[in-house]
Amino acid sequence: RWPIVRVLAPGIVLGAFVGSQLAAAMPARLLGYLFAGFVAFSATQLVFNRKPKPARTLPGNAGMFGVGNLIGLLSSLVGAGGAFVSVPFMTWCNVAIHQAVATSAALGFPIALAGSVGYLVAGWGLPQMPPGALGYLYWPGFLVLSAASMSTAPLGAGVAHRMDVAPLKRVFAFVLYALAAYFILR
């Protein structure tokens, strides 16, 4: 839903840039634990299928800017695309799960762009970076992941739109739990 993207994107850009600066300054272990806790909470909300009040809608522009900041900040802190925050938020505001997933995919670009610029700035001039890196941005990895993401996103969107809502929520929750476990164990 492009109107949602338009109002969330400015906050996301600011939050993602700030998040990259914070991540560069924080201990990695603390980041991992915070992320795992938040992701597990989001997954649990999906598993228990807590229904929002029927009258709940998306907040106004100021609220959406604030939510965008939070999505961008958390996404940039942990190097994720934002779906782990934006999909539960949108479904809690009565946006259909299929629309929330598709809208979240569109939000991935501003998150990636602002986070990448932020990590480039945060690591600028550090001597211990490997060849191919500019700041904390490792170009060979960036290019491979970008190409893979752009080429497989239409496939993922097609599969999601063919799935029933209940299994889609369970699959998304399972992915979130796996992500939380990964961050706790690493």
Side-chain angles (χ1 to χ4, degrees), residues 36-104:
F38 189 81
V39 169
F41 172 78
S42 296
T44 302
Q45 297 298 315
L46 287 172
V47 166
F48 287 113
N49 199 23
R50 294 187 54 197
K51 300 285 186 198
K53 295 177 183 171
R56 181 173 285 128
T57 60
L58 294 165
N61 288 344
M64 292 291 276
F65 182 80
V67 169
N69 271 287
L70 180 64
I71 292 169
L73 181 88
L74 291 172
S75 299
S76 188
L77 277 173
V78 298
F84 70 97
V85 183
S86 61
V87 170
F89 164 71
M90 285 185 267
T91 57
W92 188 245
C93 293
N94 287 305
V95 174
I97 183 76
H98 291 97
Q99 292 178 356
V101 169
T103 303
S104 177

Side-chain angles (χ1 to χ4, degrees), residues 89-165:
F89 164 71
M90 285 185 267
T91 57
W92 188 245
C93 293
N94 287 305
V95 174
I97 183 76
H98 291 97
Q99 292 178 356
V101 169
T103 303
S104 177
L107 292 169
F109 180 73
I111 290 169
L113 181 64
S116 295
V117 169
Y119 279 105
L120 192 143
V121 169
W124 191 264
L126 293 178
Q128 69 269 26
M129 292 299 147
L134 188 57
Y136 287 116
L137 186 60
Y138 182 63
W139 282 102
F142 176 81
L143 295 173
V144 168
L145 288 174
S146 296
S149 296
M150 288 188 289
S151 62
T152 59
L155 175 66
V159 169
H161 280 285
R162 288 190 298 275
M163 288 181 74
D164 290 333
V165 171

